[in-house]
Amino acid sequence: MKKALLIFLLILGIQTSALAGFVEQNVQGTRQMSDVVVFSDEDKFGLKDKNGEVVVEAEFVKLIRLGNTSWVAQKGNKFGIMNSDGDFIVKPKYRNVERILGKYVKLGNDNDFGLYDEFGKVIIPPEYSRIDLLFGGMFLTCKNYKYGVMNSQ
């Protein structure tokens, strides 16, 4: 009887901690990718919810999926990171963009490339002339003709 009660309490504790993590993720990430769809209007792109209501007006040249909650958005000729609610996490001020591993994005102009995650967190600061993906989540960086290796943490 004691073993059955102990197992029941253990299962209940695991479910509660999993639910707490889910609630925290939804608060931080706002809408998920599954909550919105991309639509186009006059060669521009925007987002609608499942009911067909416009969440983000069609004013973007490109919308590229980034992780589960964000989009690489091109406004004019500049790129930034936008969440699924239409709020910019990283302002569109970069001319170059490259999505890496589906959940990271390399943004930069000429000598200020940086690496961001889907929540807009800076993984590698935007001060490198070059950032290239290596094996095992490692990145080759170049700044002032000096090379280094960084990981995603």
Side-chain angles (χ1 to χ4, degrees):
M1 180 67 178
K2 288 182 183 179
K3 286 183 182 180
L5 181 61
L6 182 62
I7 290 172
F8 175 75
L9 290 175
L10 183 63
I11 291 172
L12 183 64
I14 290 172
Q15 287 177 341
T16 303
S17 64
L19 181 60
F22 176 74
V23 169
E24 179 181 333
Q25 181 182 6
N26 276 346
V27 168
Q28 180 183 11
T30 61
R31 285 189 172 100
Q32 300 291 312
M33 289 291 171
S34 58
D35 297 334
V36 293
V37 294
V38 176
F39 76 98
S40 68
D41 185 25
E42 298 180 14
D43 295 331
K44 300 284 183 171
F45 297 95
L47 299 174
K48 289 184 178 181
D49 64 12
K50 291 180 179 180
N51 300 325
E53 298 290 324
V54 174
V55 176
V56 178
E57 293 294 329
E59 59 183 334
F60 299 99
V61 178
K62 289 183 183 177
L63 284 177
I64 304 167
R65 181 181 176 156
L66 183 63
N68 291 322
T69 59
S70 303
W71 303 87
V72 175
Q74 181 182 3
K75 192 168 189 174
N77 62 350
K78 303 288 185 175
F79 293 92
I81 301 174
M82 177 181 76
N83 66 18
S84 292
D85 290 326
D87 301 321
F88 276 99
I89 303 168
V90 176
K91 299 281 186 211
K93 60 181 180 178
Y94 297 104
R95 290 188 307 269
N96 300 301
V97 65
E98 181 181 347
R99 189 172 64 161
I100 300 173
L101 300 175
K103 65 180 183 174
Y104 299 111
V105 64
K106 179 172 74 170
L107 295 170
N109 291 312
D110 295 327
N111 289 316
D112 63 349
F113 288 95
L115 190 72
Y116 299 86
D117 69 3
E118 66 180 301
F119 301 107
K121 178 183 170 197
V122 176
I123 305 300
I124 298 176
E127 57 189 35
Y128 293 92
S129 59
R130 189 172 179 158
I131 299 173
D132 295 312
L133 179 64
L134 296 174
F135 60 91
M138 304 292 283
F139 297 93
L140 177 67
T141 59
C142 179
K143 181 178 178 182
N144 298 327
Y145 301 103
K146 295 179 183 173
Y147 288 85
V149 176
M150 293 184 174
N151 64 15
S152 60
Q153 279 76 40

